[in-house]
Amino acid sequence: MPHWNVQEVQKFIHGIRGERLYAAVLLSLTGLRPAEVCGLRWEDVDLENTTIVIADTRTMMGNRYVVEKDTKSLAGERDLPLPALVLGTCWFLTGGCN
């Protein structure tokens, strides 16, 4: 199956706007690992300074258990800028409260 081109990705992103996991999908497209996106909590999102803190990961083990742990290394723990599109979605989801 061929990869999506830019127009197809944009169409997909536009089509899922308003969905519950919209911000998570956008963060996945920024290069975060799936376990890092799943490990995010609202306290990791700083709307005022437009940053997110990557400190934990969350994964499924055997489709039965959720395991939450620190990132694999200290280098994995990092503060990242929050992309404008994700920021706007987070503001919408929180009602502007953080």
Side-chain angles (χ1 to χ4, degrees), residues 85-97:
L85 191 55
V86 179
L87 176 64
T89 301
C90 289
W91 273 104
F92 173 77
L93 291 172
T94 63
C97 302

Side-chain angles (χ1 to χ4, degrees), residues 1 3-4 16 18 30-31 35 37 45 48 62 75 80 85 92 94 98:
M1 176 177 235
H3 297 287
W4 287 355
I16 64 167
T30 66
V37 173
V45 180
E48 295 291 323
L80 298 173
L85 191 55
F92 173 77
T94 63
N98 183 316

Side-chain angles (χ1 to χ4, degrees), residues 13-34:
I13 294 300
H14 182 72
I16 64 167
R17 188 175 298 154
E19 294 291 330
R20 184 175 66 89
L21 296 175
Y22 182 61
V25 171
L26 292 177
L27 286 169
S28 296
L29 294 173
T30 66
L32 292 180
R33 296 173 184 94

